[in-house]
């Protein structure tokens, strides 16, 4: 039996192992569909435009609590050839704080972008407009909000409005929302937001469906 130090080393090595499954491919397919391509079919660090070029689209990823969605999305973005390639990092990510509000989420995203500490007297819509400008200035085209079901505990209608605005105009980005089934239910309550988000419901990892990925 290995000594404790050796056992810890082995466990640490095992925790770093990760095998791609069809879930990874499904997410990448959804994301790549929302990016522009050149004449040769190569992906570009620019969002695809829809509705006569007026707006972008996004992705909603739904999985059970602890199902691995955060790791899946994080890994896909870090490895993406144009979002994390030679031209730099073109995405911004943040997890929803608890409790979350329309204003506090904007503050978290701004701070993640390197913006100075935000004073308490700033108005919520003003913070989101500042964020839109920073995203454009930094070349950010994908905005990933994890645990997004927590974002709708308060200010639901304001959040749905700002999601639509993030996909419109010259500064439009591709939003990725990840969360539990509750997120799916909330988004479905607004047909305008729902039609702008492709939905990926991740099936649980099981031996029956994914066993072949781990063999060999």
């Amino acid at each position: 039996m290995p000594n404790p130090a050796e056992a810890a080393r082995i466990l640490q090595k095992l925790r770093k192992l990760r095998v791609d499954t069809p879930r990874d491919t499904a997410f990448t397919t959804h994301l790549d569909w929302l990016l522009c391509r050149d004449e040769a079919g190569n992906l570009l660090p620019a969002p695809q435009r829809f509705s006569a070029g007026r707006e972008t689209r996004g992705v909603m990823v739904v999985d059970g609590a602890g199902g691995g969605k955060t790791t899946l999305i994080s890994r896909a973005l870090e490895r993406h050839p144009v979002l994390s390639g030679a031209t730099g990092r073109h995405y911004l990510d943040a997890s929803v704080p608890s409790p979350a509000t329309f204003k506090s989420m904007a503050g978290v995203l701004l701070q993640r972008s390197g913006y100075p500490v935000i004073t308490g007297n700033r108005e919520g819509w003003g913070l989101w407009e500042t964020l839109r400008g920073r995203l454009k200035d930094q070349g950010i085209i994908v905005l990933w909000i994890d645990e997004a079901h927590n974002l709708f505990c308060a200010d639901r209608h304001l959040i749905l409005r700002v999601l639509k605005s993030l996909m419109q105009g010259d500064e439009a980005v591709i939003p990725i929302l990840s969360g539990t089934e509750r997120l799916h239910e909330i988004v479905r309550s607004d047909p305008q937001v729902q039609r702008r988000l492709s939905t990926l419901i991740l099936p649980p990892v099981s031996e029956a469906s994914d066993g072949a990925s781990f063999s060999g």
Side-chain angles (χ1 to χ4, degrees):
M1 180 176 179
N3 60 46
E6 179 65 12
R9 187 189 67 78
I10 293 172
L11 287 172
Q12 184 178 18
K13 184 177 180 180
L14 289 173
R15 291 189 186 103
K16 292 180 179 180
L17 292 177
R18 193 175 188 283
V19 178
D20 285 345
T21 71
R23 292 160 40 113
D24 299 87
T25 302
F27 172 71
T28 302
T29 299
H30 275 254
L31 177 58
D32 288 354
W33 181 70
L34 302 177
L35 294 168
C36 289
R37 294 179 182 269
D38 62 20
E39 294 182 355
N42 300 308
L43 289 169
L44 298 172
Q48 187 75 257
R49 294 279 180 159
F50 302 86
S51 300
R54 294 190 300 270
E55 60 185 30
T56 58
R57 292 286 188 269
V59 185
M60 175 172 57
V61 182
V62 178
D63 193 10
K69 58 187 174 296
T70 300
T71 302
L72 183 153
I73 297 171
S74 176
R75 188 166 181 260
L77 293 176
E78 289 173 356
R79 299 170 62 191
H80 198 279
V82 302
L83 297 178
S84 298
T87 58
R89 175 169 159 158
H90 297 286
Y91 69 92
L92 179 69
D93 62 280
S95 185
V96 174
S98 183
T101 65
F102 174 72
K103 182 176 179 177
S104 69
M105 190 67 230
V108 168
L109 290 167
L110 277 170
Q111 290 177 12
R112 289 284 293 165
S113 76
Y115 195 75
V117 175
I118 296 155
T119 58
N121 59 359
R122 290 286 302 275
E123 188 264 339
W125 276 105
L127 293 176
W128 283 100
E129 285 302 310
T130 300
L131 176 66
R132 284 170 62 93
R134 284 190 65 77
L135 296 179
K136 183 178 181 180
D137 291 343
Q138 295 179 348
I140 300 296
I141 62 172
V142 170
L143 179 64
W144 171 31
I145 301 177
D146 194 23
E147 305 298 335
H149 50 275
N150 293 327
L151 188 54
F152 297 92
C153 294
D155 306 330
R156 174 187 296 199
H157 297 297
L158 287 174
I159 294 296
L160 290 169
R161 280 177 60 193
V162 84
L163 283 175
K164 285 182 280 190
S165 74
L166 287 171
M167 291 181 274
Q168 298 171 337
D170 294 339
E171 304 91 356
V173 296
I174 299 169
I176 299 174
L177 305 181
S178 53
T180 63
E181 177 59 31
R182 184 166 172 273
L183 170 65
H184 194 199
E185 295 170 1
I186 293 167
V187 170
R188 281 185 298 189
S189 71
D190 189 317
Q192 292 188 42
V193 174
Q194 184 180 19
R195 77 170 179 82
R196 291 174 168 90
L197 298 175
S198 66
T199 302
L200 174 60
I201 300 177
L202 296 174
V205 176
S206 67
E207 183 178 357
S209 61
D210 303 292
S213 300
F214 294 87
S215 63

